[in-house]
Amino acid sequence: MLLDTIAAYGAHDSQARLPDDILHYAKRAFLDWLSALYPGTLVAPSPQLLAAHADELGSGHCSLPGNGTTAFPATAAWINGSVSHAVEFDDIFRDAVYHPGCPTIAAALALAEAGDVDGRALLNAIVVGYEISTRIGAAVQPSHYRFFHTTGTVGCFGSAAAAAALCKPGDAEVMRHALATAGTFASGLQQAFRSDAMTKALHAGHAAAVGVRAGQGAAHGVTGVPDILEGEVGFGAALARDPDWGRAVDGLGERYNIRVITQKNHGCCGHTFAAIDAALALRERGVRPRDIAAIRVDTYQPALDVAGILNPATAYEAKFSLPYVVAHAFVHGSPRLDAFTPQRMADAEVRGLMGRVSIKADAEFTAGFPNMRAARVSLTTHAGETLEHHAPYRKGDPEAPLSDADLNDKFAELAGPVLGNARMAALRDAVWRLETLPVRALQLARNTNC
């Protein structure tokens, strides 16, 4: 059965001495997740979740970074997983249409702190969670994404794998039962992020909490159905059409997907990134917004399905609006956190340019989804000049990855205002040498400036 092979891999790598470069990519993933987490502590659903779980806060040993308190493992994973998905700066595994960091790292961090393990064990758990979940995600795409939010569904496998790796490292039976149990709790409907609501972020938190509970349960003898993936009424049959289960084990333990993760370079829906990059390229050629008569964006159909909001009224809707983020790119540059403030969203120049943006599905780009995330931006000036830029991939994708220096800058930009520069720099430096430290040395639960 599939889970036998997958669990054997997970048990092995949970305690293996992984190559230095793979640990380095795990540290990149962890730092990037923290970059998304800290600003998320300042926006919904963070205050709502803290209020809902007020009676539990201060208990346990698991950090709620940015909030200066702790919780028991499943609660910490639930809150941190949700909060890290809130500002749309979290990582992506392109082939699975999946944000692996939010559920996987939220669960791994909670159990690493609860078990007081060393940084190497945490990094191994992150790698195991990424490798298993990204492959399961790729196996069920693209049909899965028609209805389901992969981070909420497949994310349960990432968190469960990481949890089992920490609860019982080296135990294939615990790994198998944790994955099997988590699979039946997988959930997350796309309708939840087709309008302004907090639910999309909660998908990641739910997946993280499910994984923690599945891992803890398996470590204490709770069993799960072994054919949850390929069974006739299992995960694949219910949530996909003709899943390719060979992809779930292809290269497992030999070719590491954590090396080809996309790290976000803009603070909005990843389906808009290729169009933003194309707009920025045209802007760098000297195009001024006032000179533009019309803009046309050609991209893949799922980008229009998810990010096709034409007249966004809220910050959430603006993050899923191709016209808004493309217009913003021409006027102000890359959409960062300030792109979604009320003042920026009311900017007359951006709003005016939005009205000149049309969006279309391109058949070739659609056929290439999810492995290809391309866009073409064409514009006509008032003087009659036509300009065009084709972005075959996004900055941050494996073809154009963010460097370590880029990730440091991103962490400073997003975490610095929450932590203060001195604390931010100390944490950044600790993450880069995490394999030499105990996890508690990160001191993530210390009081912060928020």
Side-chain angles (χ1 to χ4, degrees), residues 45-77:
S46 182
Q48 291 83 1
L49 288 172
L50 291 174
H53 295 278
D55 291 344
E56 302 173 56
L57 303 186
S59 303
H61 303 288
C62 307
S63 300
L64 299 179
N67 292 298
T69 188
T70 58
F72 289 119
T75 301

Side-chain angles (χ1 to χ4, degrees), residues 95-97 137-148 150 190 239-244 247 302 366-371:
D95 293 3
V97 204
V140 297
Q141 299 296 6
S143 63
H144 181 75
Y145 198 64
R146 183 180 176 192
F147 296 106
F148 297 101
T150 320
Q190 273 210 29
L239 277 66
R241 184 174 63 250
D242 299 324
D244 180 1
R247 300 190 70 182
T366 300
F369 177 82
N371 307 76

Side-chain angles (χ1 to χ4, degrees), residues 11 17 31 34 70 102 109 168 218 223-224 229 243 257-258 291 367 387 441 448:
R17 188 166 186 88
L31 186 70
L34 290 171
T70 58
C102 294
L109 177 63
K168 284 281 187 175
T223 62
L229 292 175
N257 284 346
I258 201 166
D291 296 331
L387 297 171
T448 68

Side-chain angles (χ1 to χ4, degrees), residues 18-162:
L18 296 175
D20 289 345
D21 69 316
I22 301 305
L23 290 180
H24 185 77
Y25 280 101
K27 288 183 283 187
R28 282 171 55 90
F30 186 41
L31 186 70
D32 196 53
W33 178 75
L34 290 171
S35 296
L37 176 70
Y38 279 108
T41 65
L42 305 181
V43 300
S46 182
Q48 291 83 1
L49 288 172
L50 291 174
H53 295 278
D55 291 344
E56 302 173 56
L57 303 186
S59 303
H61 303 288
C62 307
S63 300
L64 299 179
N67 292 298
T69 188
T70 58
F72 289 119
T75 301
W78 161 244
I79 294 175
N80 291 334
S82 298
V83 169
S84 58
H85 198 40
V87 295
E88 298 293 334
F89 260 115
D90 48 324
D91 65 6
I92 303 166
F93 181 66
R94 183 175 58 192
D95 293 3
V97 204
Y98 167 45
H99 301 280
C102 294
T104 302
I105 300 179
L109 177 63
L111 287 170
E113 291 185 315
D116 195 19
V117 304
D118 61 35
R120 187 177 290 272
L122 171 59
L123 294 172
N124 277 38
I126 290 170
V127 171
V128 168
Y130 270 58
E131 296 310 309
I132 288 174
S133 61
T134 55
R135 283 173 169 79
I136 292 173
V140 297
Q141 299 296 6
S143 63
H144 181 75
Y145 198 64
R146 183 180 176 192
F147 296 106
F148 297 101
H149 182 201
T150 320
T151 303
T153 54
V154 170
C156 294
F157 295 108
S159 59

Side-chain angles (χ1 to χ4, degrees), residues 287-295 330 353 356 379-382:
V287 175
R288 295 172 298 181
R290 66 175 179 269
D291 296 331
I292 299 172
I295 299 170
F330 276 110
L353 191 56
R356 288 170 260 161
L379 65 85
T380 304
T381 68
H382 291 295

